[in-house]
Amino acid sequence: MNIRATSIALVFLIGANAWAAPTDPMVDPMRGPTPLTESATPPLMPPVENRDVRRMRTYSMQPPTIPHKIDGYQIDKNFNRCLACHARVNTEQTQAVPLSVTHYMDRDSNVLAEVSPRRYFCLQCHVPQTEAKPLVPNNFQDIDVILKRLSAPAPDKK
């Protein structure tokens, strides 16, 4: 048998095995023991925190999370309830965290008088906080924590 015929036969066998039905049902770790072909009962939604305490970020460049309830907030093309407190002109009176200056820049880094249209819909990046257990493990450490650990003096060994 020549090499070409052997290669074709090998490709055919590999392709046939790839299309064969798996013997074990596929399971996604985030869905638990429910196979992918069945509907899973979703867990109950954890309550939203309302403590106004800022959390540490869980990965680099993460947008800050929202530390309070936003139920009923109107955020559409006509009005953004978040800006009533977080717009820079209102933060002295409301004591809310002001929007970053990047929210007032267009894509060419030109500073605008109003919030940039591409940063207007807050919930595209920012989400409310809940006391939910993480679905997947996360060992992210903020750079400040790493630098502090590296600069700390080594413990004396006696």
Side-chain angles (χ1 to χ4, degrees):
M1 190 187 265
N2 65 19
I3 293 176
R4 186 174 189 175
T6 305
S7 299
I8 292 172
L10 184 60
V11 168
F12 177 74
L13 286 173
I14 291 171
N17 285 337
W19 287 103
T23 56
D24 296 331
M26 294 175 56
V27 176
D28 178 2
M30 291 177 61
R31 290 173 51 95
T34 308
L36 292 175
T37 56
E38 296 177 20
S39 293
T41 303
L44 294 175
M45 294 283 290
V48 174
E49 290 182 4
N50 200 29
R51 293 188 282 163
D52 283 341
V53 176
R54 294 171 68 183
R55 282 188 174 178
M56 284 289 292
R57 299 178 190 196
T58 54
Y59 59 90
S60 177
M61 302 303 289
Q62 173 191 357
T65 55
I66 302 170
H68 57 80
K69 291 184 178 183
I70 57 169
D71 300 344
Y73 275 32
Q74 179 182 350
I75 303 174
D76 58 31
K77 67 181 180 77
N78 298 317
F79 185 76
N80 183 328
R81 171 63 178 87
C82 301
L83 297 178
C85 297
H86 293 279
R88 289 192 170 267
V89 296
N90 300 333
T91 56
E92 186 175 334
Q93 179 182 353
T94 63
Q95 296 299 302
V97 176
L99 295 178
S100 163
V101 69
T102 59
H103 288 64
Y104 293 90
M105 291 180 174
D106 65 10
R107 67 179 64 175
D108 299 320
S109 297
N110 297 316
V111 178
L112 308 172
E114 298 291 325
V115 174
S116 171
R118 66 190 191 127
R119 298 289 185 102
Y120 182 79
F121 294 100
C122 310
L123 298 178
Q124 291 180 140
C125 301
H126 304 279
V127 295
Q129 301 175 19
T130 64
E131 285 294 339
K133 200 171 67 171
L135 295 173
V136 293
N138 181 359
N139 60 1
F140 169 81
Q141 292 183 339
D142 189 67
I143 188 65
D144 295 329
V145 173
I146 294 170
L147 292 174
K148 190 181 289 184
R149 186 180 68 231
L150 293 174
S151 66
D156 293 334
K157 293 184 180 180
K158 291 185 178 183

